[in-house]
Amino acid sequence: MRIGYCLTGSFCTFRKAIDTMSELVEKGYDVTPIMSENAYNTNTRFGKASYINAEIEDVCGKEIIRTITGAEPIGPKDMFDILVVAPCTGNTLAKLANGVTDTCVTMAVKSHLRNSKPVVIGVSTNDALGAAAKNIGALMNYKNYYLVPFGMDDCDKKPKSMVCDFSLIERTILLAAEGKRINRIIY
């Protein structure tokens, strides 16, 4: 299976995303990394961008798609069977729910969806139970979107924050390939 794996700016979950990509590659999936411009270029307390990018390219054995023009051919060239966006920030959720295409990742999704193929979303946002809730709800109702099960990551310190269970990304991918959703997406 050819998977386009997109990362957006939830930097605290990059380690989980990289580990997930590594597991998928080890299991024989063909994984191509895609990063939003901010995810690709931003140094944070979770790591220097150049080191993270090098590790991702090493894990996948491919160069990261990181520009809108680089992502545009995804649909016309039928590059992937499934597109994964994990972590998917509240900002990206809003853009996808409202048809905004102004980043590499949103272009990747738009281009991929032109072929009516599945997009797997792994929510990771501090406002999932706030402003992002309506966008999560919208995507749950859109055709070809499949959400990875997600739950609260720190209910005391971040009462509106939720993150996907990265260990369930492969299961979500396999079900999405059959046009099925995981029944219990909020835990």
Side-chain angles (χ1 to χ4, degrees), residues 2 10 18 20 22 43 76 80 85-86 100 128-129 143 153 162:
R2 301 167 304 151
S10 177
I18 294 168
T20 299
S22 180
N43 296 317
F80 307 119
V85 184
V100 176
L129 295 174
K143 185 177 179 182
D153 60 321
M162 298 182 92

Side-chain angles (χ1 to χ4, degrees), residues 142-159:
Y142 291 167
K143 185 177 179 182
N144 296 317
Y145 281 97
Y146 301 84
L147 273 71
V148 178
F150 58 99
M152 296 183 80
D153 60 321
D154 187 346
C155 59
D156 293 325
K157 293 181 183 171
K158 301 187 296 182

Side-chain angles (χ1 to χ4, degrees), residues 2-180:
R2 301 167 304 151
I3 300 171
Y5 196 109
C6 304
L7 293 94
T8 64
S10 177
F11 302 102
C12 61
T13 60
F14 276 16
R15 172 55 34 215
K16 290 179 183 179
I18 294 168
D19 291 346
T20 299
M21 286 187 278
S22 180
E23 290 168 12
L24 291 170
V25 169
E26 287 173 12
K27 291 180 179 182
Y29 295 96
D30 179 10
V31 179
T32 300
I34 303 163
M35 294 178 79
S36 69
E37 293 82 343
N38 285 332
Y40 184 82
N41 290 308
T42 305
N43 296 317
T44 72
R45 63 185 171 107
F46 299 102
K48 189 171 180 180
S50 61
Y51 296 152
I52 292 167
N53 300 341
E55 182 179 4
I56 289 170
E57 289 181 342
D58 184 55
V59 162
C60 296
K62 296 181 181 186
E63 189 175 325
I64 296 167
I65 296 173
R66 62 184 186 272
T67 64
I68 290 174
T69 55
E72 189 278 330
I74 287 171
K77 291 185 177 181
D78 194 27
M79 293 172 61
F80 307 119
D81 301 307
I82 294 213
L83 197 70
V84 175
V85 184
C88 186
T89 62
N91 187 48
T92 300
L93 288 166
K95 290 177 181 191
L96 295 175
N98 292 287
V100 176
T101 306
D102 64 352
T103 70
C104 177
V105 169
T106 55
M107 174 56 81
V109 172
K110 176 187 174 186
S111 189
H112 181 75
L113 283 171
R114 73 181 266 165
N115 298 325
S116 296
K117 290 190 173 182
V119 175
V120 170
I121 301 290
V123 170
S124 182
T125 177
N126 286 329
D127 67 347
L129 295 174
K134 64 181 176 184
N135 299 315
I136 293 168
L139 292 177
M140 288 172 65
N141 284 300
Y142 291 167
K143 185 177 179 182
N144 296 317
Y145 281 97
Y146 301 84
L147 273 71
V148 178
F150 58 99
M152 296 183 80
D153 60 321
D154 187 346
C155 59
D156 293 325
K157 293 181 183 171
K158 301 187 296 182
K160 295 182 181 182
S161 182
M162 298 182 92
V163 66
C164 74
D165 182 343
F166 282 82
S167 72
L168 294 175
I169 288 178
E170 183 186 19
R171 181 172 173 220
T172 308
I173 288 169
L174 294 172
L175 286 170
E178 297 177 14
K180 299 177 183 173

